Amino acid sequence: MGVLPVPAEVRAILLDIEGTTTPIAFVQETLFPYIKDNVKEYLRAHWEEEECQRDVRLLRKQAQEDSSLDGAVPIPLESGSGEEELERVIQAVVDNVHWQMSLDRKTTALKQLQGHMWRAAYATGHVKGEIFEDVVPAIRKWREAGMKVYIYSSGSVEAQKLLFGYSTEGDILELFDGHFDTKIGPKVESESYRRIAASIGCATNNILFLTDVPREANAAEEADTHVAVVIRPGNAGLTDDEKSYYSLISSFTELFLPSST
């Protein structure tokens, strides 16, 4: 893969997280299992809090919308008739969360509860965000060269900030000029990258997007954004056509910024 020159017009670097800044294994083997293993305990501990109740109401609304889906898990209303009834409702929420996660659902209701659980896990030191070792030194060099650096991930902005705020490299939030999630649009739609460019205040061809997912790279390219596909341990393999078509890097240190000479 060697050195990849960054086009002279690039002013901002847009980064994916999973498989790009962070090992896929961290998400799949640490973050998601933490939810599955701790959701019942979390609900019991926080049930009376308004934030938790908002999360449950949103999950219940989602469950109603999902009622026609195969295997969907309804969440009954509390009737207020004691501890046994409460346990029955909590178990229904747990079962619903496990069902959604088994299908890799990305509903707002699920992501909201997960975000609140991860916030507690990061704050108590139970979880630290894993970052590839080349990431922080490379971003510092980019910023010294005058680059803006942004994050675009399907995980919520709150979840992104937790990962980088409580990372194995410490609090590195200062390295980023902004964060985007799917509220700006899906990562596989070109219009999302146009919206990001407008939000940043530049043209789409002033942005270099780094991702491990060819479909995302393709969508960004359709919007006239520069792209490079990142090859990391544990990432999905690329087809021969993808390997020959896309610019590939295996480390952020392989990007060469003309302005840094």
Side-chain angles (χ1 to χ4, degrees), residues 4 6 20 45 69 95 129 168 217 225 238:
L4 178 65
V6 175
T20 300
L69 298 180
D95 292 344
T168 49
T225 298
L238 303 177

Side-chain angles (χ1 to χ4, degrees), residues 6 15 29 36 47 52 61 78 92 136 151 156 187 214 237 240:
V6 175
L15 302 173
E29 297 171 16
K36 289 180 180 176
W47 190 261
C52 185
K61 183 170 179 287
E78 281 182 84
V136 171
I151 296 291
S156 69
K187 295 175 76 180
D240 288 340

Side-chain angles (χ1 to χ4, degrees), residues 34-48:
Y34 180 86
I35 301 295
K36 289 180 180 176
D37 295 343
N38 292 279
V39 62
K40 181 181 282 189
E41 181 183 338
Y42 176 87
L43 290 169
R44 283 173 174 163
H46 299 277
W47 190 261
E48 299 299 328

